[in-house]
Amino acid sequence: METVYKIIDRYPEGGHSVIQVLQDIQNEFNYLPRERLVEVSQVLRIPLSRLYSIATFYSAFSLNPRGKHVVTVCMGTACHVRGAAAILSEFERKLGVKPGQTTNDKKYTLETVNCLGCCAIGPIVVFDKRYIGEFKLDQVDKLLKEK
Ligand code: FES
């Protein structure tokens, strides 16, 4: 419970929201481990089922362990018409995983999202929270060699 208490203590008395607490846990572990969710449920007296619905509703949360680096390809309509499917296929081919999966060496997790709200600069790839707009197919290799 130490981790959860530490996180809650970061916020002024009663000033935390469940989402903030879950975000902090996600930042610390790169996903939401079940044990931590059970602790949050006990400490904040929120049913575990509610925490799972929040965690599954927001695409920023992951219930599965992720790799060191997270590659997210936007597959929303605007990005799709600008070539997102080919970009996703190239990442799948290079990494040998499908969306939602992590490479065997735990280095990369590939994910997709349906619109990041910045369609004008699509297609968009998010690499470790860095938004890269007007993404070109030939950037896949370069990006993966960066890390
Ligand atoms: S469809 Fe990709 S940002 Fe909107």
Side-chain angles (χ1 to χ4, degrees):
M1 296 243 195
E2 195 187 323
T3 308
V4 173
Y5 279 121
K6 254 197 250 169
I7 286 171
I8 290 169
D9 283 347
R10 289 177 192 160
Y11 299 97
E13 187 88 10
H16 58 271
S17 76
V18 182
I19 292 181
Q20 281 172 324
V21 171
L22 295 182
Q23 265 173 342
D24 288 354
I25 292 172
Q26 166 106 6
N27 287 343
E28 198 150 327
F29 297 92
N30 221 8
Y31 80 110
L32 298 173
R34 183 181 162 77
E35 314 81 68
R36 296 289 97 79
L37 289 179
V38 169
E39 291 171 4
V40 172
S41 166
Q42 291 167 352
V43 173
L44 297 181
R45 295 168 203 235
I46 295 171
L48 191 57
S49 59
R50 171 129 190 275
L51 296 178
Y52 272 100
S53 359
I54 295 170
T56 50
F57 181 78
Y58 293 100
S59 60
F61 293 128
S62 174
L63 292 168
N64 298 312
R66 292 158 128 192
K68 191 172 175 212
H69 305 290
V70 179
V71 178
T72 306
V73 181
C74 179
M75 295 301 288
T77 309
C79 288
H80 188 79
V81 297
R82 292 179 181 161
I87 292 167
L88 178 63
S89 296
E90 188 65 0
F91 274 116
E92 287 176 344
R93 199 177 66 78
K94 295 274 181 197
L95 297 174
V97 294
K98 294 286 180 196
Q101 296 180 336
T102 298
T103 55
N104 286 336
D105 61 3
K106 307 274 183 263
K107 193 169 177 189
Y108 299 101
T109 294
L110 181 61
E111 296 182 340
T112 58
V113 67
N114 290 320
C115 194
L116 293 156
C118 42
C119 312
I121 59 164
I124 297 166
V125 167
V126 185
F127 189 75
D128 290 344
K129 299 180 185 165
R130 176 164 54 110
Y131 282 54
I132 308 167
E134 296 173 6
F135 197 89
K136 307 267 183 303
L137 203 52
D138 61 7
Q139 285 176 271
V140 171
D141 232 9
K142 214 176 111 195
L143 194 64
L144 295 178
K145 280 180 184 155
E146 262 182 33
K147 307 261 177 160

mmCIF file of all heavy atoms in Angstrom, residues 74-80 114-120 122-124, ligand 1:
data_model
loop_
_atom_site.group_PDB
_atom_site.id
_atom_site.type_symbol
_atom_site.label_atom_id
_atom_site.label_comp_id
_atom_site.label_asym_id
_atom_site.label_seq_id
_atom_site.Cartn_x
_atom_site.Cartn_y
_atom_site.Cartn_z
ATOM 1 N N CYS A 74 -2.035 6.453 -34.571
ATOM 2 C CA CYS A 74 -3.430 6.906 -34.615
ATOM 3 C C CYS A 74 -4.108 6.294 -35.835
ATOM 4 O O CYS A 74 -3.628 6.425 -36.954
ATOM 5 C CB CYS A 74 -3.517 8.422 -34.665
ATOM 6 S SG CYS A 74 -5.244 8.963 -34.744
ATOM 7 N N MET A 75 -5.216 5.621 -35.586
ATOM 8 C CA MET A 75 -5.965 4.970 -36.668
ATOM 9 C C MET A 75 -7.328 5.629 -36.865
ATOM 10 O O MET A 75 -8.240 5.026 -37.422
ATOM 11 C CB MET A 75 -6.128 3.473 -36.363
ATOM 12 C CG MET A 75 -4.820 2.701 -36.346
ATOM 13 S SD MET A 75 -3.913 2.781 -37.901
ATOM 14 C CE MET A 75 -4.948 1.736 -38.915
ATOM 15 N N GLY A 76 -7.461 6.853 -36.388
ATOM 16 C CA GLY A 76 -8.708 7.579 -36.608
ATOM 17 C C GLY A 76 -8.881 7.863 -38.098
ATOM 18 O O GLY A 76 -7.930 7.721 -38.882
ATOM 19 N N THR A 77 -10.063 8.278 -38.490
ATOM 20 C CA THR A 77 -10.372 8.454 -39.919
ATOM 21 C C THR A 77 -9.385 9.375 -40.637
ATOM 22 O O THR A 77 -8.854 9.027 -41.695
ATOM 23 C CB THR A 77 -11.807 9.005 -40.079
ATOM 24 O OG1 THR A 77 -12.670 8.163 -39.321
ATOM 25 C CG2 THR A 77 -12.249 9.004 -41.521
ATOM 26 N N ALA A 78 -9.131 10.548 -40.056
ATOM 27 C CA ALA A 78 -8.255 11.515 -40.735
ATOM 28 C C ALA A 78 -6.848 10.946 -40.927
ATOM 29 O O ALA A 78 -6.236 11.124 -41.987
ATOM 30 C CB ALA A 78 -8.203 12.818 -39.944
ATOM 31 N N CYS A 79 -6.331 10.263 -39.926
ATOM 32 C CA CYS A 79 -4.996 9.674 -40.053
ATOM 33 C C CYS A 79 -5.039 8.475 -40.988
ATOM 34 O O CYS A 79 -4.098 8.242 -41.757
ATOM 35 C CB CYS A 79 -4.459 9.275 -38.678
ATOM 36 S SG CYS A 79 -4.002 10.708 -37.676
ATOM 37 N N HIS A 80 -6.149 7.736 -40.931
ATOM 38 C CA HIS A 80 -6.276 6.554 -41.788
ATOM 39 C C HIS A 80 -6.212 6.932 -43.266
ATOM 40 O O HIS A 80 -5.485 6.302 -44.035
ATOM 41 C CB HIS A 80 -7.584 5.826 -41.470
ATOM 42 C CG HIS A 80 -7.707 4.506 -42.154
ATOM 43 N ND1 HIS A 80 -7.056 3.373 -41.692
ATOM 44 C CD2 HIS A 80 -8.351 4.148 -43.281
ATOM 45 C CE1 HIS A 80 -7.324 2.379 -42.512
ATOM 46 N NE2 HIS A 80 -8.110 2.812 -43.484
ATOM 47 N N ASN A 114 -7.850 5.761 -31.582
ATOM 48 C CA ASN A 114 -8.780 6.297 -32.581
ATOM 49 C C ASN A 114 -8.960 7.784 -32.395
ATOM 50 O O ASN A 114 -9.903 8.221 -31.763
ATOM 51 C CB ASN A 114 -10.139 5.594 -32.482
ATOM 52 C CG ASN A 114 -10.044 4.182 -32.956
ATOM 53 O OD1 ASN A 114 -9.375 3.889 -33.941
ATOM 54 N ND2 ASN A 114 -10.675 3.282 -32.233
ATOM 55 N N CYS A 115 -8.045 8.549 -32.905
ATOM 56 C CA CYS A 115 -8.039 10.012 -32.900
ATOM 57 C C CYS A 115 -7.441 10.602 -31.630
ATOM 58 O O CYS A 115 -7.874 10.324 -30.520
ATOM 59 C CB CYS A 115 -9.428 10.620 -33.123
ATOM 60 S SG CYS A 115 -9.284 12.377 -33.512
ATOM 61 N N LEU A 116 -6.450 11.418 -31.849
ATOM 62 C CA LEU A 116 -5.758 12.082 -30.746
ATOM 63 C C LEU A 116 -6.179 13.540 -30.653
ATOM 64 O O LEU A 116 -5.647 14.304 -29.864
ATOM 65 C CB LEU A 116 -4.243 11.985 -30.964
ATOM 66 C CG LEU A 116 -3.682 10.564 -30.872
ATOM 67 C CD1 LEU A 116 -2.382 10.441 -31.637
ATOM 68 C CD2 LEU A 116 -3.495 10.175 -29.418
ATOM 69 N N GLY A 117 -7.104 13.926 -31.493
ATOM 70 C CA GLY A 117 -7.619 15.293 -31.449
ATOM 71 C C GLY A 117 -6.753 16.313 -32.170
ATOM 72 O O GLY A 117 -6.936 17.510 -31.976
ATOM 73 N N CYS A 118 -5.814 15.868 -32.949
ATOM 74 C CA CYS A 118 -4.999 16.820 -33.722
ATOM 75 C C CYS A 118 -4.893 16.317 -35.160
ATOM 76 O O CYS A 118 -3.797 16.189 -35.714
ATOM 77 C CB CYS A 118 -3.632 17.037 -33.075
ATOM 78 S SG CYS A 118 -2.848 15.551 -32.455
ATOM 79 N N CYS A 119 -6.061 16.057 -35.727
ATOM 80 C CA CYS A 119 -6.173 15.444 -37.068
ATOM 81 C C CYS A 119 -5.445 16.237 -38.154
ATOM 82 O O CYS A 119 -4.966 15.656 -39.130
ATOM 83 C CB CYS A 119 -7.634 15.309 -37.458
ATOM 84 S SG CYS A 119 -8.656 14.581 -36.176
ATOM 85 N N ALA A 120 -5.380 17.564 -38.009
ATOM 86 C CA ALA A 120 -4.799 18.405 -39.056
ATOM 87 C C ALA A 120 -3.342 18.057 -39.342
ATOM 88 O O ALA A 120 -2.847 18.301 -40.441
ATOM 89 C CB ALA A 120 -4.912 19.869 -38.672
ATOM 90 N N GLY A 122 -2.094 14.942 -39.097
ATOM 91 C CA GLY A 122 -2.005 13.508 -39.310
ATOM 92 C C GLY A 122 -1.252 13.153 -40.582
ATOM 93 O O GLY A 122 -1.069 14.019 -41.446
ATOM 94 N N PRO A 123 -0.805 11.928 -40.725
ATOM 95 C CA PRO A 123 -0.953 10.862 -39.737
ATOM 96 C C PRO A 123 -0.009 11.065 -38.545
ATOM 97 O O PRO A 123 1.095 11.586 -38.700
ATOM 98 C CB PRO A 123 -0.587 9.598 -40.521
ATOM 99 C CG PRO A 123 0.301 10.067 -41.626
ATOM 100 C CD PRO A 123 -0.142 11.463 -41.959
ATOM 101 N N ILE A 124 -0.458 10.627 -37.407
ATOM 102 C CA ILE A 124 0.313 10.874 -36.189
ATOM 103 C C ILE A 124 0.771 9.578 -35.523
ATOM 104 O O ILE A 124 0.004 8.623 -35.397
ATOM 105 C CB ILE A 124 -0.537 11.674 -35.184
ATOM 106 C CG1 ILE A 124 -0.881 13.030 -35.779
ATOM 107 C CG2 ILE A 124 0.191 11.847 -33.852
ATOM 108 C CD1 ILE A 124 -1.953 13.742 -35.034
HETATM 109 S S1 FES B 1 -7.644 10.908 -36.663
HETATM 110 FE FE1 FES B 1 -5.595 10.940 -35.995
HETATM 111 S S2 FES B 1 -5.580 12.703 -34.735
HETATM 112 FE FE2 FES B 1 -7.622 12.596 -35.375
#
